[in-house]
Amino acid sequence: MKNGKQNQPRTIMETKDASQQIIQKRANRYGQKDTNKVWDFFCSVKLAVVIILIMVVACILGTVILQEKTLDEYTARYGYGLATFFRITQLSNVFYSYWFSFLLVLLCANLICCTIKRWRNTFLQTGFILTHLSLVLILIGGVVKFQLGVKGGVNVYEGKSVDYFLTQMINRQGKLDYVKKDLPFSIALDDFILEKNEPKFQLVSYVKSKDRQKVLDVKLGKRQRVPGSEYGVTIKDYIPDAELQQEPINTSDKPENPAIFVRLMGSENVAAEGWLLAHDRNYYEDRKQNLRIEYIWLPSQTELDKAISSLETGHAKLSVAIAGQGLSQDYSLELNKVFKFEGTEYSIRMLQYVLNYGDKRPLNEQPSDNPAVQVEINGPEGAETRWVFEKFPDWDKMHPAKYKNVKLTCSGIASIYTAKNTIRIFQSPEGKQVIVYIKDNRVVETMPWELGKKYTIAGTGNQITIANYFPSFDFKKEVIKKSDTVGTPAIYVEVDGPSGKADDWLFSNNQYATWYTDNNLALVYESTGESIKHFTSKLRIVENGQTVAEKIIRVNDPLKHRGYVIYQSSYDPEAGNFSGLQIVKDPGIPVVYSGFGALCFGVIFIFYIKPFLRKKQKKEAEGQ
């Protein structure tokens, strides 16, 4: 018979006391809210939600607001008030700001506290611990990157080395600044290799009357009609690497394009030689000697004598003559002064003069290729403005003006600005040929010249020879093939249009268009641009004079050494002499990688290992 005392029912008070003991044990195990408010604050899920919401807003602001710009750029875009607010609150650099890192640390602390509070010391909670630990490690790695990581760049020339790199930062004044960061080693660039794809070329047509541009096919023998026009284009020949050889020739005995071959000799050897063309490139300059040689062709001996006379007197002048009245008058080149032509109803005023008509540069930078003076004539029929050209005295005959009976010529304008030593070679169709040596704007010597003779320029140590003369200068052109590889390609194009057929070679390196005879169709054979295939750098890491690492780096294949990662980021686009390197140090990467590793193991444990263990325990319990 059992003890009667054991069978007696518990009273209500005893049951209540037992319940309170259980609640107290649970409270001691999990913690009461009023026992430690700081601990409860960090364990709160609400805290995690608030932190995440603030970080989401911060990320949105970091996307909307331009990051890492100068104060001037923010002021121009947002105004000075907002720009100052962004700089003070670090909204101009959200992800690297101290308050964003603080949010990461706070979220990390919240995760740690929640993990500890909910941890049961059992093996089945391994997945729970690993996944939470992974998030903590990833957040810690982010904080370390933002606060301790550095990123910058440096250019290294071939055969040189550097032991630093530069990082960008916004200083306290809101200006972009560069900070030099020292490296614990040197980076040497032994070789930079730039591989290019084979260049491509295109033929572009332009019809001026239609203002239309069209790219044509580059195919041999195929006639192509230029859209919207009456022109047809056919490519007759192609050379992958062409060269234009030009041989000077004389095409006529008439002085249509006079030119001379001048040879300048120093104390021992030939200093310079070449052709000077009267109506094109008519001068040569030697800046070291402050020497200028000019070839001036004048249409008559009278004009030549007048030009030399103006040099000897040292005065530029304007000559005015009235046809049919036998009246003429010379005036000095005084701008904006009104000269009354005595005995007539005309007055003359010189407005401006130039050394090279059409040249927009300052007067002292203009070559004396086409001197001219702008003149205002006032007469019975009002005012007339006319340009008078020193080298083309008959310009007004081809371009008749209001006062046809007023003949204007000028001389000596080219002598206003000269080099310290100027040699002028004059020639006229009558056969008079004169060399004038001018030093410091003063005529030192005047002498006639003949072909092939040497003339000593007093006080300079130089001799000059006019070796050849062509009355009508031109080039005999021949296109030759240099190699079979693509270098400077050229195509031979035939154009048929309203003015018949025309053909010519087009070179890919020619900057100017080739125009058809009616000056309405232009063709350009041009490169579409070279594309870069690869660019690589052969680097060595040097410490204490010893090479400790070396590698050929390319894009996305960097060199790693002592926590630094050296990327190939850019290169010298013109000469290819230097390599642009990006240098990154991120001490948070190992921590982040550890977090990802823990996350992978945690997920595997939760979805595969934990269910297997639970199933095994269940079977063991059923067996017992």
Side-chain angles (χ1 to χ4, degrees), residues 261-272:
F261 188 83
V262 180
R263 185 175 290 117
L264 179 67
M265 291 160 286
S267 57
E268 298 180 357
N269 302 319
V270 176

Side-chain angles (χ1 to χ4, degrees), residues 21 112 124 146 165 171 199 238 240 248 260 271 283 310 328 330 405 420 424 481 484 499 511 529 539 550 562 585:
Q21 288 177 2
I112 293 173
L124 291 178
F146 292 147
F165 63 98
N171 57 27
Y238 166 76
I260 57 174
Y283 68 92
S310 65
S328 63
D330 294 336
N405 61 326
K420 183 178 179 62
R424 290 207 173 120
K481 182 179 180 180
D484 292 325
S499 300
Q511 300 179 355
L539 300 181
E550 56 184 324
R562 294 183 59 175
K585 185 178 182 181

Side-chain angles (χ1 to χ4, degrees), residues 118-130 605:
R118 289 162 179 79
W119 182 22
R120 307 293 184 272
N121 191 13
T122 63
F123 182 71
L124 291 178
Q125 280 204 306
T126 302
F128 167 79
I129 296 299
L130 288 176
F605 190 94

Side-chain angles (χ1 to χ4, degrees), residues 347-593:
S347 63
I348 305 296
R349 183 165 70 100
M350 284 163 273
L351 304 178
Q352 61 173 318
Y353 64 87
V354 294
L355 299 181
N356 187 27
Y357 180 77
D359 199 327
K360 302 299 183 182
R361 290 177 294 178
L363 198 63
N364 60 348
E365 296 180 11
Q366 297 179 15
S368 56
D369 292 347
N370 191 13
V373 58
Q374 189 182 35
V375 181
E376 180 185 85
I377 307 171
N378 282 281
E381 299 180 19
E384 176 201 335
T385 301
R386 186 188 304 178
W387 278 99
V388 184
F389 297 87
E390 184 173 333
K391 294 183 180 180
F392 306 99
D394 295 327
W395 180 264
D396 56 343
K397 292 181 180 179
M398 296 180 287
H399 301 79
K402 182 184 295 186
Y403 298 113
K404 300 179 182 179
N405 61 326
V406 179
K407 172 69 175 178
L408 301 178
T409 58
C410 60
S411 60
I413 298 175
S415 64
I416 296 175
Y417 287 103
T418 62
K420 183 178 179 62
N421 300 291
T422 302
I423 300 170
R424 290 207 173 120
I425 304 171
F426 291 93
Q427 190 177 18
S428 68
E430 285 88 348
K432 186 170 183 178
Q433 304 169 157
V434 179
I435 295 177
V436 179
Y437 172 46
I438 306 168
K439 184 179 179 64
D440 297 327
N441 285 329
R442 186 176 62 86
V443 176
V444 175
E445 189 175 5
T446 302
M447 65 188 86
W449 61 270
E450 296 179 18
L451 287 176
K453 288 190 177 182
K454 293 182 180 179
Y455 298 94
T456 301
I457 310 303
T460 65
N462 294 318
Q463 289 183 321
I464 191 169
T465 300
I466 295 89
N468 206 349
Y469 162 66
F470 285 172
S472 186
F473 180 89
D474 202 354
F475 282 110
K476 179 184 177 181
K477 300 178 181 179
E478 182 182 4
V479 178
I480 64 170
K481 182 179 180 180
K482 294 173 61 179
S483 67
D484 292 325
T485 59
V486 177
T488 304
I491 54 177
Y492 187 66
V493 178
E494 180 184 83
V495 180
D496 57 89
S499 300
K501 291 186 177 181
D503 49 52
D504 200 359
W505 280 96
L506 303 183
F507 286 79
S508 60
N509 60 351
N510 188 7
Q511 300 179 355
Y512 303 100
T514 300
W515 288 87
Y516 179 64
T517 51
D518 62 2
N519 209 33
N520 186 43
L521 171 68
L523 295 175
V524 178
Y525 183 49
E526 63 182 9
S527 170
T528 58
E530 289 184 321
S531 59
I532 304 302
K533 187 176 182 180
H534 296 294
F535 53 97
T536 59
S537 299
K538 186 177 180 181
L539 300 181
R540 284 186 300 112
I541 302 298
V542 181
E543 293 185 13
N544 300 321
Q546 301 294 324
T547 299
V548 296
E550 56 184 324
K551 183 179 180 180
I552 297 178
I553 68 168
R554 52 180 55 87
V555 177
N556 297 327
D557 186 16
L559 169 62
K560 300 178 182 179
H561 184 68
R562 294 183 59 175
Y564 289 89
V565 184
I566 304 168
Y567 294 92
Q568 177 73 72
S569 62
S570 63
Y571 62 93
D572 178 9
E574 296 180 359
N577 291 330
F578 67 76
S579 174
L581 305 178
Q582 185 183 66
I583 300 175
V584 177
K585 185 178 182 181
D586 186 359
I589 285 182
V591 183
V592 173
Y593 283 173

Side-chain angles (χ1 to χ4, degrees), residues 154-162 187-194 535-540 568 571-572 575-581:
V154 67
N155 294 332
V156 189
Y157 285 84
E158 280 186 311
K160 303 293 183 181
S161 62
V162 294
I187 305 173
L189 176 63
D190 292 334
D191 192 16
F192 178 74
I193 304 167
L194 192 63
F535 53 97
T536 59
S537 299
K538 186 177 180 181
L539 300 181
R540 284 186 300 112
Q568 177 73 72
Y571 62 93
D572 178 9
N577 291 330
F578 67 76
S579 174
L581 305 178

